[in-house]
Amino acid sequence: MQRISVIGSGTMGNGIAHTFAQHGFEVALVDINAAALASARATIASNLDRQIKKETLTETDKQLILNRITTYTDLAAGVRNADLVVEAATENEQVKRSLFEQLDKQCAAHTILASNTSSISITKIAAATQRPEKVIGMHFMNPVPVMKLVEVVKGHSTSTDTTAEITALAIQLDKIPVEVNDYPGFVANRILMPMINEAVYSVYEGVADVEAIDNVMKLGMAHPMGPLQLADFIGLDVCLAILRVLYEGFGNPKYAPCPLLVNMVTAGKLGRKSGQGFYTY
Ligand code: NAI
């Protein structure tokens, strides 16, 4: 695999493009929003500067990495030569199904179609294509250049060859792949999101204030970030979308999103990316 197309250049897409380019791959970064592409390029450059400061990268490396990333607003042009597509667009089933239907038509027969979805069924996404054996979850963690885990999600029809290729690729990116099966929330978010939701309920019910809740989890459980700080970092809209997938997928009321989380997202308080969430940025 040499040419990777990354679809969506938000929080995750820019990190995924950065990581592939840093490991020598040619990257086409695609977004429907030109402003998002410009901001992704700026974020990647500033994250590379941070690596230069830490002396893990040189200025020359930075230029080489940036030169490997080309941006596109046109999907067909951005995926034309891809060996692998990693989709990191908005966490919405309709958006992903429609994207995969188009990708299936526009990509070469050998192209693997991966989704970075946090929780949407890979089997459902694969069903929008004629190549379900080549559709897989490649779930990176945020921030992508730093976090080691890649949750490799096998859909109902994902072939063992596809799984093996993506596992090997994750290792090539200096990540640690963990294989999981396709059930709502996979493993990472099935465990993380109920914890975040419970933290939001603790604010909603006045058990403690935001900082107190985060301090309990940081100091008491050795979590590097409190759950509310982490929710802001992930994006409250993304957290809400994942909780809804868990709620609908299992039909179990224990996953019902806290009304405070719903209200915050409705009010546009999405966390770090909007400047306001449980904290102000
Ligand atoms: P985001 O909201 O920051 O970025 C999404 C981007 O996708 C936007 O720039 C938007 O313009 C673009 N987009 C939407 N529809 C598109 C289309 N049809 N074609 C091309 N681009 C399109 O979202 P974020 O947080 O980067 O999430 C992306 C995916 O990664 C989601 O599936 C999410 O569940 C997953 N994810 C998010 C994590 C996080 O910490 N935020 C962690 C791991 C996975």
Side-chain angles (χ1 to χ4, degrees), residues 132-148:
E133 72 289 351
K134 288 191 176 293
V135 177
I136 191 163
M138 191 173 193
H139 183 207
F140 291 90
M141 304 293 128
N142 184 13
V144 183
V146 177
M147 299 293 280
K148 283 287 180 194

Side-chain angles (χ1 to χ4, degrees), residues 60-124:
T60 317
D61 294 332
K62 175 184 164 184
Q63 284 318 317
L64 286 172
I65 292 167
L66 288 174
N67 289 345
R68 285 191 202 112
I69 303 174
T70 313
T71 56
Y72 297 85
T73 48
D74 179 40
L75 184 71
V79 301
R80 190 168 295 135
N81 298 314
D83 299 313
L84 166 71
V85 175
V86 182
E87 171 277 317
T90 311
E91 184 74 345
N92 173 297
E93 190 180 315
Q94 275 326 308
V95 168
K96 294 196 193 286
R97 282 183 62 98
S98 139
L99 261 171
F100 274 71
E101 203 179 326
Q102 294 174 64
L103 289 170
D104 189 35
K105 291 186 185 126
Q106 287 158 355
C107 292
H110 76 278
T111 310
I112 292 181
L113 306 180
S115 175
N116 183 56
T117 178
S118 302
S119 60
I120 295 170
S121 161
I122 297 299
T123 308
K124 271 192 198 163

